[in-house]
Amino acid sequence: MNYMLKDENAIYYECGYSCDNALYLRLGADAFFITDGRYTIDAKENVVGAAVVIDGDLYGKAAKILKKHQVKKIVFDPKEWSVAGFDKIRQKVKTTFKPVLDFSHKKRIVKSEEELKIVAKAAKLGAKAFKQLAKEFRKNGFGKDEYTLTHMAKGILGDFGKYELSFEPIVAINKNAAKPHATPTSTILEKNDLLLVDAGLKYKRYCSDRTRTVQADKYFMFDMHQSYKRKKIQKAYDVVLKAHDNAIAKACSGMKAKKVDALTRDIVEKAGYGKYYVHSTGHGVGLDIHEMPYISKKSDTIIEDGMVYTIEPGIYIPNAFGIRIEDMVAMVDGKAKVL
Ligand code: GLY
Ligand code: MN
């Protein structure tokens, strides 16, 4: 099979190395990692199973290699390529380019034993960082605004430079938490505020992802058992927790992803909060923070052992508050195991 890749994580998955200016060609048994002279040493030291080709014109070089190998047909994922880059190759060759959406994500949907170990370690480190973060917020977080709290979260999640982050952490207080992907505001954390934190780190390039919503009292921890002073919040929180626990208990291999989605959604809808659950149940996690399988209402993907994804139901009441509880699971022996 012939395929060409442009996305960094897709390339890393094939050959154990990537950089921000590279292109990967797989032509039957041959593979080529094309990059420019800035990465010669690194690429030669780290690329596995592909010839390292150095050329300032990646696209021109790729076209030359396709011509030389008389490649008739090659697969690519249109999501990975800029129109300009793709055209530069296409205009120079007679090859047929076959678009396959999510080509690399489909290859990566079931994790290997080695990947499962790495992603489990990422999740473990993520959980540990949340513990640290609660300690830090209890001590130094009150009186600080969301910008500063986000900055503190970045330091602790990344262990001050040891780990990259899976994404920009979300730290949202009270009504800002009603935006599922809130950006920071000047809202200051005060005692007993609702505090939502969604954050993750990367271990060996694999992502973790976790969300907790807590009442930020003097002794708070980012655990799941929360007692809110406000009854309205407690009621919604208990529904989200029930939905989260239900999906984790009942998800099994062989089930369609949309059935897993229903395991959270039915509970939220039955409790009367359906219109406030504005996103899907979860998403696959791996080299990318969002990858297959998508746990959504529409997904016909069959869940299999070795898949890793999040369960993250939420209820978002505009201008009031938002709640989300998120964990990562791996499918093991037919069941969802929390990482
Ligand atoms: N944790 C961020 C997201 O899943 O979108
Ligand atoms: Mn997530």
Side-chain angles (χ1 to χ4, degrees):
M1 184 186 200
N2 304 325
Y3 52 90
M4 57 183 207
L5 306 172
K6 189 72 189 72
D7 176 75
E8 271 207 47
N9 283 334
I11 294 174
Y12 175 83
Y13 185 73
E14 301 291 326
C15 67
Y17 177 72
S18 77
C19 61
D20 65 3
N21 193 42
L23 198 159
Y24 180 93
L25 294 180
R26 176 93 202 185
L27 307 176
D30 298 318
F32 303 89
F33 181 97
I34 311 170
T35 187
D36 69 71
R38 294 171 300 168
Y39 299 103
T40 308
I41 297 171
D42 243 6
K44 289 198 168 158
E45 280 177 1
N46 293 297
V47 168
V48 178
V52 173
V53 179
I54 305 298
D55 198 303
D57 175 11
L58 305 188
Y59 301 101
K61 189 67 187 177
K64 278 184 194 153
I65 294 173
L66 292 181
K67 253 189 209 163
K68 190 172 165 210
H69 284 72
Q70 300 179 343
V71 175
K72 290 204 171 60
K73 191 169 151 190
I74 191 162
V75 163
F76 75 106
D77 179 353
K79 289 182 181 173
E80 290 186 21
W81 294 78
S82 71
V83 175
F86 178 66
D87 274 351
K88 270 193 204 164
I89 303 180
R90 191 175 52 174
Q91 282 158 5
K92 294 193 176 90
V93 296
K94 294 204 177 80
T95 308
T96 299
F97 292 86
K98 184 177 160 42
V100 177
L101 287 174
D102 301 313
F103 174 74
S104 175
H105 276 180
K106 282 174 185 157
K107 286 181 85 170
R108 286 149 50 192
I109 190 169
V110 173
K111 272 60 184 170
S112 66
E113 287 298 321
E114 181 61 19
E115 286 180 294
L116 286 171
K117 277 186 202 148
I118 295 172
V119 85
K121 174 90 191 249
K124 215 174 189 166
L125 290 168
K128 204 171 138 199
F130 265 68
K131 275 194 186 146
Q132 274 302 112
L133 188 60
K135 210 167 150 187
E136 179 62 11
F137 278 1
R138 285 195 310 261
K139 201 165 154 215
N140 297 314
F142 292 106
K144 303 273 171 35
D145 68 16
E146 288 173 345
Y147 293 103
T148 306
L149 296 171
T150 303
H151 183 72
M152 288 160 76
K154 283 161 87 164
I156 288 177
L157 258 290
D159 203 0
F160 304 96
K162 194 164 173 190
Y163 306 112
E164 282 186 31
L165 302 190
S166 307
F167 53 90
E168 185 77 6
I170 297 166
V171 179
I173 298 165
N174 298 334
K175 70 177 182 180
N176 201 29
K179 303 169 197 157
H181 271 196
T183 49
T185 68
S186 52
T187 306
I188 282 175
L189 182 65
E190 287 171 11
K191 289 260 156 71
N192 297 325
D193 277 346
L194 175 143
L195 174 66
L196 181 152
V197 176
D198 180 347
L201 57 85
K202 290 186 188 184
Y203 174 69
K204 295 189 176 176
R205 287 184 70 141
Y206 283 75
C207 297
S208 76
D209 196 4
R210 184 181 189 86
T211 306
R212 293 291 183 264
T213 310
V214 301
Q215 175 170 277
D217 55 33
K218 220 169 153 178
Y219 303 105
F220 84 86
M221 291 192 291
F222 285 118
D223 59 359
M224 273 187 278
H225 298 284
Q226 295 292 319
S227 307
Y228 292 90
K229 287 193 190 304
R230 288 176 56 198
K231 285 212 167 65
K232 267 190 182 166
I233 298 181
Q234 188 69 49
K235 194 171 159 219
Y237 186 87
D238 291 343
V239 172
V240 173
L241 184 57
K242 191 173 163 195
H244 163 277
D245 291 353
N246 189 53
I248 290 171
K250 295 190 187 148
C252 56
S253 297
M255 206 176 236
K256 280 190 176 174
K258 63 183 176 193
K259 179 86 194 291
V260 180
D261 182 80
L263 291 173
T264 65
R265 201 164 303 282
D266 287 352
I267 287 179
V268 175
E269 280 175 0
K270 269 188 200 127
Y273 293 99
K275 73 169 173 170
Y276 301 115
Y277 184 7
V278 293
H279 54 69
S280 51
T281 291
H283 54 88
V285 185
L287 290 167
D288 284 317
I289 181 63
H290 293 144
E291 53 179 63
M292 295 175 83
Y294 292 100
I295 314 299
S296 77
K297 259 193 245 187
K298 290 184 195 147
S299 176
D300 285 317
T301 303
I302 308 279
I303 297 301
E304 289 176 43
D305 276 12
M307 289 184 180
V308 173
Y309 58 89
T310 65
I311 298 287
E312 51 177 306
I315 291 176
Y316 308 92
I317 315 284
N319 291 313
F321 62 87
I323 288 157
R324 179 165 65 257
I325 304 171
E326 174 180 34
D327 278 304
M328 288 166 67
V329 299
M331 296 309 295
V332 180
D333 297 332
K335 295 265 168 217
K337 179 180 160 207
V338 177
L339 296 179

